[in-house]
C-alpha cells in the first residue's frame, strides 16, 4: 500500500471495540451472556456505520441480521437465568433459607414450587396426620408455627418452621401407605416426583435436603427417648416406622460407622 487511507468513521471503531470486548468473554453462563451482549452492540454499530457513512444496503442487512440473532440469544439467556422470579413472602423465605445457600436458581426452584398442591393453615389442636390412618401422598414443609409429634400422650419432639413433616416417608415409601396455628406448604408427592424424574440435579437436591431433615428428626427422637428413660423395647417401636426409609437413604448415600459422620454423609 503506497497510499494509506484515513481511519474509518467513529461508528466503525466503536463497533470493533465491542467486538474486541466480546472476544474476551469467559467460558461460563455469564460469560456467554457478556459475549452475546457485546456482539449485539457491535453489530448494531456496524449497521449504523453502513447506513450513515457507507450507505451500502448489504452491510446494513447482514449486520441487522447478526444484531437480531445475538439479541435473541441475550433474551434467552436472561430468561433462563431468570433473576426476576418472585414468590409469595413465606415461599420466598423458604427459597432463601433452604435452597439459595445450595446455589439453586430461582428457575429450578420454580419447578419444585409449581408442584404445590395447596398452602394449608393448621389452627391450634388441629391434626395433620394420624399414624396408620393418613395416606402418605404428600410432602409438607412447615412455613411458620410449630407442630408437635405426639405418641401415647407424650410429645416426642417439635417440628419448627422450614422443616419437613414427611421427610422420612420420602425415601422408599409408596403413596398408598399410611402414617398453635401453623402454615404448611403442601406438595403433591406423585406430581413432584414425576416433575423431577428427568432432572438428576433436582432429585439430588431434594434427597440432600430431606435426608438431612430425616437425620435431624431421628436424633431428636433418640434424645427424647433417652431423656424419658424408656426401655429398649419402646425405643425400637419409635425407630421402626422409619427403618425402611433410612434403609433406602443408606443405599443412596454410603454412611461411615462413626455416628458423627452420619449427618455429613447424608
Amino acid at each position: 500500500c503506497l497510499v494509506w487511507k484515513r481511519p474509518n468513521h467513529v461508528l466503525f471503531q466503536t463497533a470493533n471495540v465491542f467486538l474486541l470486548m466480546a472476544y474476551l468473554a469467559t467460558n461460563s453462563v455469564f460469560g456467554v451472556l457478556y459475549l452475546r451482549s457485546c456482539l449485539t452492540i457491535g453489530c448494531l454499530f456496524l449497521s449504523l456505520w453502513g447506513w450513515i457513512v457507507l450507505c451500502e444496503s448489504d452491510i446494513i442487512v447482514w449486520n441487522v441480521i447478526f444484531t437480531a440473532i445475538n439479541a435473541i440469544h441475550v433474551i434467552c439467556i436472561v430468561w433462563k437465568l431468570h433473576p426476576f422470579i418472585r414468590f409469595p413472602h413465606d415461599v420466598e423465605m423458604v427459597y432463601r433459607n433452604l435452597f439459595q445457600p445450595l446455589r439453586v436458581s430461582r428457575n429450578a426452584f420454580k419447578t419444585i414450587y409449581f408442584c404445590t398442591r395447596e398452602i394449608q393453615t393448621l389452627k391450634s389442636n388441629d391434626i395433620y396426620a394420624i399414624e396408620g390412618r393418613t395416606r402418605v401422598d404428600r410432602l409438607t414443609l412447615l412455613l411458620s408455627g410449630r407442630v408437635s409429634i405426639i405418641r401415647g400422650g407424650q410429645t416426642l419432639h417439635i417440628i419448627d418452621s422450614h422443616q419437613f413433616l414427611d421427610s422420612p416417608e420420602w425415601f422408599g415409601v409408596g403413596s398408598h401407605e399410611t402414617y398453635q396455628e401453623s402454615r404448611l406448604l403442601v406438595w403433591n408427592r406423585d406430581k413432584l416426583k414425576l416433575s423431577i424424574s428427568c432432572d438428576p440435579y433436582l432429585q439430588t437436591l431434594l434427597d440432600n435436603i430431606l435426608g438431612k431433615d430425616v437425620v435431624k428428626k431421628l436424633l431428636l427422637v433418640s434424645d427424647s427417648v433417652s431423656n424419658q428413660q424408656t426401655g429398649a423395647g419402646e425405643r425400637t417401636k419409635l425407630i421402626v416406622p422409619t427403618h425402611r426409609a433410612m434403609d433406602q437413604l443408606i443405599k443412596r448415600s454410603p454412611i461411615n460407622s462413626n455416628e458423627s459422620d452420619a449427618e455429613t454423609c447424608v
Side-chain angles (χ1 to χ4, degrees):
C1 296
L2 300 178
V3 179
W4 290 88
K5 296 182 180 179
R6 295 179 58 188
N8 278 297
H9 193 270
V10 66
L11 289 175
F12 177 82
Q13 307 300 336
T14 304
N16 282 279
V17 168
F18 279 98
L19 293 178
L20 174 63
M21 293 171 61
Y23 298 143
L24 299 177
T26 59
N27 187 22
S28 65
V29 175
F30 291 100
V32 174
L33 177 61
Y34 169 81
L35 168 69
R36 292 294 183 177
S37 300
C38 290
L39 287 176
T40 301
I41 299 173
C43 292
L44 177 61
F45 275 105
L46 285 177
S47 301
L48 294 174
W49 175 63
W51 179 26
I52 297 174
V53 179
L54 298 182
C55 299
E56 296 184 7
S57 59
D58 55 344
I59 294 180
I60 297 173
V61 171
W62 280 112
N63 283 282
V64 165
I65 293 174
F66 298 153
T67 301
I69 292 174
N70 285 290
I72 292 173
H73 276 284
V74 170
I75 294 172
C76 290
I77 295 173
V78 171
W79 181 263
K80 185 177 180 180
L81 295 175
H82 227 310
F84 310 110
I85 296 177
R86 291 294 179 266
F87 306 103
H89 176 70
D90 290 343
V91 180
E92 178 73 22
M93 297 309 297
V94 170
Y95 170 74
R96 293 183 183 181
N97 292 331
L98 292 182
F99 293 86
Q100 193 173 39
L102 298 177
R103 298 184 180 179
V104 180
S105 68
R106 290 182 175 271
N107 196 47
F109 180 69
K110 182 181 69 173
T111 302
I112 298 174
Y113 176 60
F114 278 4
C115 296
T116 301
R117 177 193 295 178
E118 61 179 328
I119 294 183
Q120 180 181 350
T121 299
L122 287 182
K123 296 184 179 180
S124 179
N125 297 323
D126 281 355
I127 297 176
Y128 169 74
I130 300 176
E131 184 179 6
R133 298 184 188 178
T134 306
R135 290 183 58 192
V136 185
D137 61 349
R138 51 189 167 173
L139 174 67
T140 303
L141 176 70
L142 189 60
L143 293 177
S144 62
R146 307 178 79 189
V147 172
S148 300
I149 307 300
I150 300 175
R151 184 168 187 170
Q154 295 182 339
T155 300
L156 298 183
H157 64 275
I158 303 294
I159 297 179
D160 287 312
S161 59
H162 295 175
Q163 291 184 349
F164 289 89
L165 274 66
D166 320 282
S167 52
E169 290 78 13
W170 174 263
F171 300 95
V173 178
S175 299
H176 61 282
E177 300 186 41
T178 62
Y179 73 97
Q180 26 180 277
E181 183 172 307
S182 303
R183 280 171 59 78
L184 309 174
L185 178 62
V186 184
W187 280 282
N188 186 311
R189 243 177 66 114
D190 294 335
K191 180 179 179 181
L192 178 58
K193 286 199 170 188
L194 181 62
S195 297
I196 65 175
S197 61
C198 297
D199 193 331
Y201 170 70
L202 290 181
Q203 289 182 24
T204 304
L205 174 72
L206 277 179
D207 285 351
N208 181 278
I209 292 176
L210 292 168
K212 290 181 179 179
D213 197 81
V214 171
V215 173
K216 186 181 297 183
K217 286 181 173 61
L218 289 177
L219 292 176
L220 288 172
V221 171
S222 300
D223 291 342
S224 176
V225 173
S226 300
N227 291 336
Q228 294 172 13
Q229 297 181 349
T230 58
E234 182 64 22
R235 180 182 287 106
T236 302
K237 289 182 181 179
L238 291 172
I239 300 301
V240 163
T242 59
H243 78 282
R244 285 177 299 169
M246 291 310 298
D247 287 344
Q248 186 69 17
L249 183 60
I250 290 171
K251 290 178 183 178
R252 297 183 183 216
S253 302
I255 299 178
N256 295 332
S257 58
N258 295 332
E259 292 181 0
S260 59
D261 294 335
E263 187 170 1
T264 304
C265 292
V266 176

